[in-house]
Amino acid sequence: ITVARASRQKVTVHGVQAERASTIHDSWHARRRMPAASADTFADGLATRDIYEMTFGPLCEGLESFSTVSEEEIAAALRLLLRTTHNLAEGAGAAGLAGLIKRRDHLSGRTVAVILSGSNIDEATLPDAIAPGERAEFVVAFTPGPGCEGLTIIDWFITFSGRETRGVFDVNVKP
């Protein structure tokens, strides 16, 4: 929002929140704090049960709209990113694309940018996001990353329900 304002261009910002952790979304629409008892989403970067006072005012002033997306919509966006760009995003990182897909009719014909952030998805969550309800096995090859103490994932191979998927991408993994 700060960058959009500083650019002095006509830039609008749309917020997206997991519907099973919607307190910020609900508070934005009500224009008041509406804490929730739970935040049950695999998009743990969006799993908030209350607003943050420091950011709530700027959100109220700076967002054009705020929508929620389902767990399935987030997972579908994660799969689309992985399949088409070979970038692995965590649930919160894929939520922007999920929101864009959900609001595609409203945003049609406009120039749109989606922020893709985070690949902090854990090993237990990833199979359910990629192949919900199916048994998934992952084989990942590692090689030392140049200039990094960690490793770089250079290849991944997933087998689920007799279908195979393969891709190559770089993700720095710190030990």
Side-chain angles (χ1 to χ4, degrees):
I1 294 173
T2 301
V3 172
R5 285 183 183 158
S7 73
R8 300 189 191 278
Q9 300 291 320
K10 176 61 176 145
V11 176
T12 58
V13 180
H14 302 266
V16 180
Q17 185 69 27
E19 66 185 23
R20 289 180 13 189
S22 64
T23 191
I24 295 172
H25 166 272
D26 299 345
S27 297
W28 183 84
H29 281 281
R31 294 296 198 251
R32 64 180 174 81
R33 182 175 173 251
M34 297 185 65
S38 69
D40 181 27
T41 176
F42 84 89
D44 51 0
L46 300 177
T48 56
R49 293 186 307 264
D50 206 347
I51 62 169
Y52 296 99
E53 293 296 333
M54 186 171 85
T55 59
F56 187 62
L59 286 176
C60 286
E61 294 170 19
L63 293 180
E64 179 177 297
S65 69
F66 210 145
S67 57
T68 59
V69 288
S70 69
E71 299 297 292
E72 176 50 38
E73 289 169 323
I74 296 169
L78 189 151
R79 291 190 301 270
L80 178 63
L81 286 166
L82 190 57
R83 185 175 65 249
T84 59
T85 70
H86 297 171
N87 286 292
L88 176 62
E90 62 186 76
L97 179 59
L100 172 63
I101 293 167
K102 186 172 191 170
R103 295 182 47 85
R104 67 183 168 268
D105 292 339
H106 172 74
L107 299 171
S108 178
R110 296 168 72 175
T111 301
V112 179
V114 175
I115 297 173
L116 172 61
S117 63
S119 59
N120 183 30
I121 189 166
D122 63 55
E123 196 174 325
T125 303
L126 186 58
D128 284 335
I130 291 177
E134 301 184 41
R135 183 172 174 269
E137 296 177 354
F138 292 81
V139 177
V140 181
F142 293 94
T143 188
C148 122
E149 303 83 34
L151 301 171
T152 300
I153 299 173
I154 59 163
D155 193 28
W156 55 269
F157 183 74
I158 307 167
T159 303
F160 50 93
S161 292
R163 300 188 313 266
E164 295 179 350
T165 298
R166 186 181 185 107
V168 177
F169 58 96
D170 285 334
V171 178
N172 288 328
V173 179
K174 299 289 181 188

